[in-house]
Each structure stands twice: as C-alpha cells, then as structure tokens.
Amino acid sequence: MAAADAMVPDMAKRRTMNLLLAGAVGAPATIGLGLYAGFFVPPKAGGAGGGLAAKDALGNDIKATKFLEKRRAGERELVQGLKGDAYWLIAGDNKQIESFAINATCTHLGCVVPWNLAEKKYKCPCHGSQYDQNGKVTRGPAPLSLAIAHTEVDASDTVVLKPWTETDFRTGTAPWWK
C-alpha cells in the first residue's frame, strides 16, 4: 500500500490540470458562442453614405457620359441598383441624369414593372397596377408608390445610387422602403 500512496498527485498539480482542461474546453466554446450570438446582430448600415454604383446587364458600372450620349431627355434604362434590385435610371434635361432612380419592383406582388413609352407610365404586367413617370401609384391594386433612390455622379463619372431617406417628394410622406 505504500506504493499506492506515492502516486496521489498533490493539490497544486490538480489545480494546474483543471485550469488546462477548462482553458482547452472553454476557449473554443466561448469563441463558438460569440460567433453564434453575432449571427443575431443586424448588420450596420453602409458607410460613406451607403452608395452603390449602378450596373448594366453585364455587371459593368454605368458611366454618366456614355449613358447620356445615347439618350434623349426622359428616356430610361433598367440598371442594377441598391440591394441588387432593378432600378430605372432616367436621362434628364440638359444632358444630366435625373436626381432620382425608380425601383422597378411592383409594390403589389413584386413583379418587375416595365416603362410604357407610348403611355408615358409604368404598367405592371402581373395585375395591372400603374404608376406615373415618377413612380407614383395611379391605379391599383398596388398599395404604394415605387421606391426611389438618389442618383449622383462620382469623380470617375460612375453613376452612384444612394438610399432615399427624406420625405418622398411625390407623396409628401416618409419613405415606406427604409
């Protein structure tokens, strides 16, 4: 029995082993728990104004000069904008791009709304909703006007779309799409 008594570790050794075990299990568990909890935290809004370059059908940035040289005032082109949504980019007067772009997603059921040049309005092919040239709803069943975004031209002549956060100029109300 004397040999068995010699093999019992002392308290300092036990404490060291317990700390090593707690660290080996606790550190990965804490990291995993932190990553899991981070999934539930909403992403922060984009920095620097949250702008995004408008893209053409091939994914290339839209250059303002090239866009305007092929279009007359009032002509529109479907581009990829904020959140990957389709937006109507509008050529304005005096060879400038309008200060806003119109989201092409119908507020009724989400169909892409084409521009009807002959009638000078947007007409949804799914259920017949109609919007005026600025995207304001004129005939239902769509309950709301089309969302809009600011347009700017940066130093490299790229058209940039930025979220519209102030009062909607078409309705005089706060934007519903925030």
Side-chain angles (χ1 to χ4, degrees):
M1 279 260 197
D5 290 336
M7 298 300 281
V8 175
D10 63 348
M11 203 57 179
K13 229 182 224 185
R14 282 185 172 198
R15 215 174 281 128
T16 302
M17 292 305 289
N18 284 341
L19 287 174
L20 285 173
L21 178 64
V25 171
T30 302
I31 291 170
L33 186 61
L35 292 173
Y36 180 74
F39 176 78
F40 296 102
V41 177
K44 295 180 181 176
L52 188 67
K55 308 261 184 207
D56 64 12
L58 300 174
N60 301 318
D61 291 351
I62 302 282
K63 300 295 182 182
T65 307
K66 188 174 179 184
F67 177 82
L68 292 168
E69 72 185 18
K70 299 177 183 177
R71 288 169 186 77
R72 294 182 308 231
E75 289 188 13
R76 294 140 203 269
E77 181 178 330
L78 208 53
V79 300
Q80 181 180 340
L82 301 172
K83 300 178 187 174
D85 287 349
Y87 276 80
W88 287 102
L89 192 58
I90 307 166
D93 298 328
N94 302 325
K95 289 291 187 185
Q96 293 181 351
I97 293 177
E98 282 289 341
S99 62
F100 64 96
I102 300 172
N103 190 311
T105 305
C106 182
T107 58
H108 178 231
L109 291 176
C111 300
V112 174
V113 181
W115 170 248
N116 186 317
L117 182 60
E119 297 183 42
K120 301 256 190 262
K121 58 181 154 182
Y122 298 96
K123 293 179 76 174
C124 181
C126 298
H127 296 103
S129 295
Q130 296 181 15
Y131 306 87
D132 69 9
Q133 73 276 5
N134 291 328
K136 182 178 179 185
V137 68
T138 57
R139 180 175 160 223
L144 302 165
S145 297
L146 297 173
I148 54 178
H150 287 286
T151 58
E152 294 178 5
V153 178
D154 67 10
S156 66
D157 197 41
T158 301
V159 177
V160 177
L161 299 179
K162 294 186 175 187
W164 190 286
T165 56
E166 58 273 2
T167 302
D168 185 348
F169 68 90
R170 304 163 302 175
T171 61
T173 60
W176 61 265
W177 55 88
K178 274 199 209 174

